[in-house]
Amino acid sequence: MAEKNVVLGITGGIAVYKVPDLVSRLRKKGFNVDVIMTKSATEFVTPLTFREVSRNPVHTEMFANPVQWNVAHIALAKKADLIAIVPATANIIAKLATGIADDLLTATLLAARCPKLIAPAMNSGMYNNPACQRNLKQLADDGFVIVGPDSGHLLCGDEGVGRLASLDEIEINIQKLLSTQDFINETVLITAGGTREAIDPVRFIGNRSSGKMGHALAEAAFKRGAKVILISTSPDAPRYAGMEVYGVESTAQMRDQVLSLASRATIIIKAAAPADFRPASVAQGKIKKTSAGMDLSLVINPDILLELGRNKRSGQILIGFAAETDSLSKNARDKLERKNLDLIVGNRVADAMGTECNKVTVFSKTNAIDLLESPKPIVADQILDLVIKYRMDGTLSE
Ligand code: CTP
């Protein structure tokens, strides 16, 4: 990704203490971050902290001596691909709603033409005040993307609405505003994680799949504009406003959930590792150990992808995964044919399961594209690039 410039406006609320972490996350994602702090924000955390995490000078003054000659607010407004205000106080919200430009941050915002995001954080009384609600509505009408606030325990001691949205939620919305919306017309159903098949109320049969690849695909599709339906076995599944997320445990539950939602999907990606077998019966009470050991009788589970392939509707793209220890290409191509798939993502078990990185080959009926070993979020974006190419040309070749 070419480096994008995020101008991060920080205003004076206690939630400022969370923002250095956001700057550091954005830098790790490859964004350049220029911080503007209001005077009140500097009372909570010093500019030095933000200088160090952003590795850029921090802007606090409208009339500071420039290092190079420029008009600070115009230069920052032109440079910004996105301006985010985190946290946004009731005061900045009121100023922006009326177009006041009495400091560097408000003047920059008024001059900027890029997308703008605000993450409000304040006491519930202030947030629910009709003046604040009126101002937020005005900002939404003016095109600002408003993220949060969440409800819960507030640092002032109250319970209620007004907590800064999670950094995950703010980060994905920043990424979304900076991403090409090439999945805007797609509804993508993704499954993730290994299923658990109960033996008794305590024990289960499972596998090593963590769900990370499926979750990375869900996040990538979401930021590229897709309507995302995620069905995951993992408690770590991402949960963003606007993403539909369903938790399941067994292959049977996953099958029921997938089949009830599949007709809405234009693309289905089955990244999950459903167990192929389940215990023939589930003991009601905990099975007591005996010195004689124990035999476990297993029966075969339904193959969800096979059923999806049989009932594929016209225009729906069906993508499977194949985790193999041997003969990757042959096994992946067999599954592509047998399950009536458009694409299959093949990987070796040792390269994929439970790891942060993945090395995959994407097969269509006529092509095989090797992707370089990379962190799963990058692999997810590259897989989606191939899916969009396949959607446009019906092939993966150049
Ligand atoms: N899959 C499925 N339902 C199952 C088993 C697998 O939908 N009961 C899907 C997986 O989500 C994956 C693809 O089928 O997208 C291939 O899974 P895999 O376990 O590699 O293949 P199997 O068909 O189970 O074959 P085998 O275990 O013999 O390799």
Side-chain angles (χ1 to χ4, degrees), residues 191 251 270-276 301-306 319-324 335 338-339 344:
T191 65
T251 297
K270 283 231 67 233
D276 288 327
N301 264 330
D303 188 320
I304 309 165
L305 194 52
L306 192 73
I319 302 159
F321 268 68
E324 307 291 342
K335 286 175 191 174
R338 187 161 47 84
K339 303 195 186 192
I344 192 157

Side-chain angles (χ1 to χ4, degrees), residues 223-236:
K223 73 171 198 229
R224 290 165 75 154
K227 169 108 194 62
V228 172
I229 305 170
L230 173 62
I231 300 169
S232 176
T233 60
S234 164
D236 300 331

Side-chain angles (χ1 to χ4, degrees), residues 200 203 286-296:
D200 67 13
R203 305 175 181 95
K286 185 182 171 196
I287 300 170
K288 289 292 170 197
K289 69 170 180 278
T290 63
S291 54
M294 175 182 163
D295 287 329
L296 194 60

Side-chain angles (χ1 to χ4, degrees), residues 92-107:
I92 188 93
I93 290 167
K95 283 187 183 181
L96 295 178
T98 47
I100 289 175
D102 65 350
D103 63 8
L104 182 59
L105 180 58
T106 46

Side-chain angles (χ1 to χ4, degrees), residues 190-219:
I190 297 164
T191 65
T195 61
R196 291 176 170 194
E197 307 296 329
I199 298 171
D200 67 13
V202 179
R203 305 175 181 95
F204 61 85
I205 303 175
N207 61 61
R208 294 184 195 282
S209 169
S210 63
K212 283 182 182 153
M213 193 63 236
H215 297 167
L217 282 160
E219 293 194 337

